[in-house]
Amino acid sequence: MSLDELRDLLERHVRPDLTTAIDGVRICRIDHAASPVSAMSGTVLAIIAQGGKRLALGDRVYEYGVGQYLVASVDLPVTGQTVDAAPGRPELGFGMALEPAAVAELLLEAGPGDLPRSAGDMRPGIAVSDAPDELIDAVVRLLRLLDQPRDRRTLAPLIKREILWRLMTGEQGEAVRRLGLADGGLGHITRAVRWIRENYTRPFRVEEAARLSGMSVSAFHRNFHTVTAMSPIQFQKHIRLQAARLLLANSPHDVTGVGRRVGYDNPSQFSREYRRLFGAPPSIDARRMRGEAALP
C-alpha cells in the first residue's frame, strides 16, 4: 500500500533538521507526545503517515492523523502538538511548501472546465481533508527520488506540479487556487497579514489595514477572521508574543526590555499575555527553553 511505502520512505530519509535533498520538501519524525509549540505555519501541504497532530489557530482547533492532509494557504501563527507518538511508533509527516507563483502558473495553463468552479466566498486559511490515493501516490513517487539522485533534478519539479494539481482539483482546491490569485480576496488578506507581521512593534488602527486591503472596515474584519480565526489585533498580539519568545531564548534576564522591543509598554500586560499563550511567565519559560536546548 502507498501509505506503508510512504512511512518507510519517511523513516529512512528523515534528518535532524527536517530538510531533504528536494527543495521545499521536509520530513518530520517525533518520537513522543510533546508540549504545544507555537510557530508560523507557512503556506504548506502537510500529510501524516503515522501518528497524529493537533493544531490551534485562534479560536479553532484542527486535528489530523494517518492518511489525512492539511493545507495552510496563509502564513499564520499556530500552536501545534503531537498527540499520537511513542518510542517505536513515532509520528511521521511529509511537508511541502506551496508557492503562489507555481499555483499561478498552473492556473494559467489550465484549460476551460479543467478546474472546479469557485464558490466565491472567503475560506479559512487552514483546512484538513482525507488524502486521496492519487495524492499519496504522487508524494511517494516524489520521495522515491531521494534514492535516485540522477533523476531528481529533472523529475522532482514535474511531480511537485502534479501534487499541486491534485490539491488544486481536490477537496481543498479552492484555498490552494486562491494562493495564485494576487487580486483575489485571499490575496488582500495575505497582504494585510504580511503588513501586520512587518509592523508588529508599532500600534496600528484597523482602518489602516482595511485600507491596505481595499476593503471596508466591516468587510475586512469579517474576512480577516474567516481566514485567520482571529481579529487583526489578536493576530498582532500573537506575532508580538512569538517574536518575544525567540528574543527571550537569547536574553532570558531582560524580560522588560524584550517586552518593549516587541511593542509592549506595560510589563505587567506583557507578562500576563505571554503566560496566557505559552503557559508560563516569560522568565520561567525562557529558563525552560534554555534547559531544553541544552538537552542532547
Side-chain angles (χ1 to χ4, degrees):
M1 286 180 62
S2 293
L3 271 175
D4 291 333
E5 186 175 359
L6 178 58
R7 280 189 286 268
D8 176 64
L9 287 163
L10 295 174
E11 285 250 45
R12 287 196 292 109
H13 291 288
V14 68
R15 296 172 174 175
D17 65 357
L18 313 184
T19 62
T20 70
I22 300 173
D23 187 45
V25 171
R26 293 162 70 87
I27 293 173
C28 174
R29 174 189 170 125
I30 300 177
D31 290 289
H32 54 81
S35 301
V37 175
S38 295
M40 298 303 295
S41 67
T43 52
V44 296
L45 159 70
I47 297 177
I48 296 290
Q50 185 168 279
K53 200 111 181 167
R54 181 180 297 126
L55 208 67
L57 170 66
D59 55 11
R60 301 181 195 134
V61 176
Y62 300 88
E63 292 199 17
Y64 60 118
V66 177
Q68 293 186 303
Y69 73 95
L70 175 143
V71 165
S73 56
V74 181
D75 190 14
L76 297 170
V78 296
T79 301
Q81 183 177 20
T82 297
V83 295
D84 184 13
R89 187 173 174 78
E91 179 203 296
L92 295 169
F94 164 90
M96 188 180 91
L98 301 178
E99 301 293 344
V103 177
E105 185 178 338
L106 280 175
L107 287 173
L108 290 173
E109 294 177 6
D114 287 347
L115 293 167
R117 185 186 298 273
S118 294
D121 55 334
M122 196 66 71
R123 301 291 180 90
I126 288 180
V128 172
S129 288
D130 293 332
D133 292 340
E134 296 84 0
L135 178 59
I136 297 292
D137 178 66
V139 169
V140 166
R141 284 186 281 110
L142 180 65
L143 291 175
R144 283 176 188 161
L145 294 176
L146 294 173
D147 296 318
Q148 302 162 5
R150 186 188 64 181
D151 302 329
R152 193 161 55 226
R153 183 187 299 272
T154 300
L155 296 182
L158 301 179
I159 301 176
K160 287 168 72 176
R161 279 169 57 89
E162 179 187 347
I163 291 171
L164 205 51
W165 181 257
R166 298 294 180 193
L167 292 176
M168 291 169 61
T169 56
E171 190 171 330
Q172 303 303 334
E174 177 108 7
V176 178
R177 293 193 299 273
R178 289 185 179 184
L179 260 176
L181 300 173
D183 295 328
L186 182 64
H188 297 319
I189 297 300
T190 299
R191 278 199 297 276
V193 164
R194 187 182 303 119
W195 184 84
I196 293 172
R197 288 183 59 196
E198 291 171 353
N199 297 276
Y200 70 86
T201 59
R202 71 178 186 87
F204 81 97
R205 298 168 65 242
V206 173
E207 291 82 358
E208 197 174 359
R211 186 170 60 253
L212 284 168
S213 302
M215 299 179 185
S216 68
V217 173
S218 59
F220 175 70
H221 253 296
R222 182 175 63 254
N223 290 326
F224 194 94
H225 188 275
T226 296
V227 172
T228 69
M230 287 175 265
S231 72
I233 299 301
Q234 289 173 321
F235 185 90
Q236 184 198 46
K237 185 188 300 181
H238 272 70
I239 299 298
R240 282 180 168 180
L241 293 172
Q242 286 189 358
R245 199 175 198 220
L246 290 175
L247 291 170
L248 281 168
N250 294 318
S251 304
H253 305 298
D254 187 22
V255 172
T256 300
V258 166
R260 288 202 186 97
R261 286 172 65 184
V262 300
Y264 281 90
D265 294 325
N266 186 324
S268 297
Q269 181 187 7
F270 171 58
S271 183
R272 183 171 61 252
E273 293 184 353
Y274 189 101
R275 180 172 188 164
R276 188 177 300 137
L277 182 60
F278 297 118
S283 57
I284 294 176
D285 187 51
R287 289 198 298 271
R288 184 173 63 191
M289 284 191 294
R290 290 176 72 84
E292 289 174 354
L295 293 174

